[in-house]
Amino acid sequence: MLRVKKKRIIIPYRPVIKWLVRLRRSPRAIAGGFALGTLVAFTPTMGIQFFIVMFLATILNMNRPAAFVTIWITNVATVTPIYTFNYWVGSLFWEGPSVGEVYRTFMNLTAKLARMDLWDIIDQFSVVMSLSKDIIIPLLIGSLIVGLIAAALVYLVSLGMIRYLVIRRNRKRVLH
């Protein structure tokens, strides 16, 4: 009975799991790609995250598709809570406007981003960079702190998961 439940939970994710195992890179490169994308996703670089991730993944020899997938953590629906939290963390180290005031600013920013086309990349980045220096500095500090912690966690979890999946795949090959 328990085994049936477990299978039902995993089946919807089977295509994603197969895709992960089939990526043609080492588990470290794939996990590194996920971590890099996560780090960049938490930075206030919405609009140019794709270019940053592709450049850094190439230079650092990390898996580009894995990095690309995780930058979508920040999108129009998540930018306000993520940036507000990052700002709050950064404001512990660098003084700025109140968190409530910054939250309202991010809500306005989200409304502007929601009206833009997905491909208005430079305009999206310009909207984020139009924030005042009083907001940007704590936001950058908090984004780096939160992004580094999240990236480290994503790296460790994904590396373990990918190694497990590769070992499991190799065992199945030996049995067949």
Side-chain angles (χ1 to χ4, degrees):
M1 183 78 169
L2 188 62
R3 191 165 179 81
V4 173
K5 273 188 174 182
K6 207 176 201 182
K7 250 186 175 175
R8 285 184 188 167
I9 292 170
I10 292 175
I11 288 174
Y13 301 105
R14 186 166 276 163
V16 175
I17 291 169
K18 283 184 177 182
W19 175 76
L20 275 174
V21 172
R22 289 186 181 144
L23 286 175
R24 294 182 182 225
R25 289 305 211 106
S26 71
R28 281 186 169 174
I30 298 167
F34 283 129
L36 175 65
T38 301
L39 172 63
V40 173
F42 280 95
T43 62
T45 54
M46 197 164 177
I48 61 168
Q49 290 174 337
F50 174 81
F51 302 108
I52 293 170
V53 157
M54 290 301 124
F55 176 74
L56 291 175
T58 301
I59 287 177
L60 300 172
N61 199 26
M62 293 180 184
N63 187 276
R64 289 186 296 268
F68 179 67
V69 166
T70 51
I71 62 171
W72 290 98
I73 292 169
T74 45
N75 55 59
V76 175
T78 63
V79 74
T80 296
I82 288 173
Y83 283 5
T84 302
F85 179 74
N86 292 352
Y87 174 83
W88 174 76
V89 171
S91 70
L92 299 173
F93 301 94
W94 190 280
E95 195 172 326
S98 73
V99 174
E101 181 183 331
V102 172
Y103 174 80
R104 287 186 291 281
T105 301
F106 289 148
M107 287 296 287
N108 292 334
L109 177 128
T110 299
K112 287 179 188 176
L113 291 172
R115 288 189 296 269
M116 292 183 176
D117 188 357
L118 176 66
W119 302 109
D120 293 336
I121 294 166
I122 300 302
D123 293 337
Q124 291 173 8
F125 184 67
S126 296
V127 167
V128 174
M129 288 297 109
S130 69
L131 297 169
S132 73
K133 183 175 75 172
D134 295 337
I135 295 174
I136 283 287
I137 293 172
L139 177 61
L140 284 171
I141 293 168
S143 295
L144 287 174
I145 292 168
V146 172
L148 285 169
I149 292 168
L153 292 172
V154 165
Y155 180 80
L156 294 172
V157 169
S158 62
L159 182 62
M161 185 179 82
I162 294 165
R163 282 183 174 165
Y164 168 77
L165 293 172
V166 168
I167 290 167
R168 188 170 161 214
R169 179 186 68 183
N170 291 339
R171 282 185 187 153
K172 282 185 178 182
R173 283 185 180 169
V174 169
L175 295 173
H176 291 281

